[in-house]
């Protein structure tokens, strides 16, 4: 499977069977994304929570590419009410899709639709496909149950925020990696806005000092997992 980073919390997963999954596709109004919403494809769109910097261009992309949304129940119902396809899930539950397995986790944060209506709980997501597991934490503060998430799921790649202010900053994110114990940590949700400035290389160096692996992805970079 391939993982492409658009910047902020926006990623694209492409499986060996050529299924494309977008996560939190915030592209057009994202000053750091090298890719715009009319350039991406999607068989599935996973939205961790409905804040604008995660909900992003999902409606625009969905009108063109007709994906299945994968979200917590309340947010999935929002997309269904707008005429899109969705698979309703919720925290703690998993489901086998044609590309692999998706499981939702807790995230300590907020969530509201663009109309400021209730969008259910914010979430993180664990995606298992092509023999690899990717944990995108969503927006969250540090929480000790990450230890349980790490114990119950052997995580290969942990994608986690480091930008502070709205989410974990670097110090808490280093602790989060220690709790989950992934093979490789990948920082996200930094340097998009003035209030979330953070140096991903400081995060990387701190982790490496503790004997842990970290990859800092360039905006637009795609890696083979
Ligand atoms: Ni948020
Ligand atoms: Mn955010």
């Amino acid at each position: 499977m391939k993982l492409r980073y658009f910047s902020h919390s926006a990623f694209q997963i492409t499986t060996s069977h050529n299924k494309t999954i977008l996560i939190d596709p915030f592209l057009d109004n994202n000053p750091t994304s090298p890719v715009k919403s009319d350039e991406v494809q999607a068989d599935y769109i996973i939205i961790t929570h409905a804040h604008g910097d995660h909900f992003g261009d999902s409606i625009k992309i969905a009108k063109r590419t007709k994906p299945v949304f994968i979200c917590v129940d309340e947010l999935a119902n929002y997309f269904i009410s707008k005429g899109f396809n969705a698979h309703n899930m919720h925290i703690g539950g998993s489901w086998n899709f044609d590309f692999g397995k998706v499981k939702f986790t807790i995230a300590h944060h907020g969530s509201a639709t663009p109309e400021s209506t209730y969008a259910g709980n914010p979430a993180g997501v664990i995606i298992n496909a092509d023999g690899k597991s990717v944990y995108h934490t969503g927006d969250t503060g540090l929480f000790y149950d990450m230890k349980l998430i790490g114990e119950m799921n052997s995580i290969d790649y942990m994608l986690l925020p480091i930008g502070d202010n709205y989410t974990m900053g670097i110090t808490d994110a280093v602790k989060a990696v220690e709790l989950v114990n992934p093979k490789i940590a990948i920082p996200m949700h930094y340097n998009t806005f003035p209030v979330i400035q953070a140096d991903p290389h400081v995060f990387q160096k701190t982790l490496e000092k503790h004997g842990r692996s970290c990859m800092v992805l360039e905006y637009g970079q795609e890696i083979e997992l």
Side-chain angles (χ1 to χ4, degrees), residues 53-151:
D53 57 320
H54 300 261
F55 186 97
D57 307 296
S58 52
I59 297 277
K60 217 190 283 182
I61 296 166
K63 278 184 180 158
R64 181 172 52 82
T65 65
K66 313 270 185 261
V68 175
F69 281 97
I70 305 173
C71 320
V72 297
D73 186 63
E74 295 85 351
L75 184 53
N77 284 339
Y78 173 84
F79 287 114
I80 291 168
S81 79
K82 301 287 179 188
F84 299 108
N85 293 323
H87 183 102
N88 300 43
M89 295 185 67
H90 229 303
I91 291 163
S94 58
W95 183 257
N96 286 306
F97 293 87
D98 61 359
F99 64 87
K101 192 166 116 176
V102 172
K103 182 178 188 179
F104 279 94
T105 71
I106 59 170
H108 289 297
H109 195 64
S111 182
T113 69
E115 293 91 350
S116 293
T117 54
Y118 182 59
N121 289 311
V125 67
I126 299 169
I127 299 161
N128 280 282
D130 295 342
K132 303 281 184 200
S133 67
V134 177
Y135 172 29
H136 184 301
T137 68
D139 278 2
T140 186
L142 176 64
F143 56 92
Y144 199 66
D145 280 355
M146 283 181 170
K147 190 164 168 33
L148 183 62
I149 292 170
E151 282 171 9

Side-chain angles (χ1 to χ4, degrees), residues 12-210:
Q12 171 186 286
I13 284 174
T14 310
T15 68
S16 58
H17 294 93
N18 256 321
K19 295 288 179 189
T20 303
I21 303 111
L22 297 180
I23 309 171
D24 292 355
F26 171 54
L27 306 173
D28 291 350
N29 295 323
N30 173 353
T32 52
S33 175
V35 172
K36 294 300 164 200
S37 67
D38 59 2
E39 299 170 61
V40 295
Q41 294 303 319
D43 296 303
Y44 297 90
I45 299 180
I46 298 173
I47 309 287
T48 60
H49 66 293
H51 285 158
D53 57 320
H54 300 261
F55 186 97
D57 307 296
S58 52
I59 297 277
K60 217 190 283 182
I61 296 166
K63 278 184 180 158
R64 181 172 52 82
T65 65
K66 313 270 185 261
V68 175
F69 281 97
I70 305 173
C71 320
V72 297
D73 186 63
E74 295 85 351
L75 184 53
N77 284 339
Y78 173 84
F79 287 114
I80 291 168
S81 79
K82 301 287 179 188
F84 299 108
N85 293 323
H87 183 102
N88 300 43
M89 295 185 67
H90 229 303
I91 291 163
S94 58
W95 183 257
N96 286 306
F97 293 87
D98 61 359
F99 64 87
K101 192 166 116 176
V102 172
K103 182 178 188 179
F104 279 94
T105 71
I106 59 170
H108 289 297
H109 195 64
S111 182
T113 69
E115 293 91 350
S116 293
T117 54
Y118 182 59
N121 289 311
V125 67
I126 299 169
I127 299 161
N128 280 282
D130 295 342
K132 303 281 184 200
S133 67
V134 177
Y135 172 29
H136 184 301
T137 68
D139 278 2
T140 186
L142 176 64
F143 56 92
Y144 199 66
D145 280 355
M146 283 181 170
K147 190 164 168 33
L148 183 62
I149 292 170
E151 282 171 9
M152 298 297 290
N153 307 273
S154 176
I155 303 296
D156 293 305
Y157 296 85
M158 180 182 185
L159 321 178
L160 77 167
I162 62 162
D164 220 335
N165 193 74
Y166 299 113
T167 67
M168 293 182 270
I170 287 176
T171 305
D172 285 7
V174 166
K175 183 68 184 179
V177 173
E178 189 184 304
L179 293 174
V180 172
N181 194 27
K183 290 202 179 74
I184 294 175
I186 295 177
M188 64 178 184
H189 211 273
Y190 62 88
N191 293 355
T192 325
F193 313 117
V195 293
I196 59 168
Q197 296 299 312
D199 185 344
H201 296 286
V202 169
F203 176 63
Q204 182 179 38
K205 287 207 178 85
T206 310
L207 283 176
E208 285 172 355
K209 238 184 275 170
H210 292 83

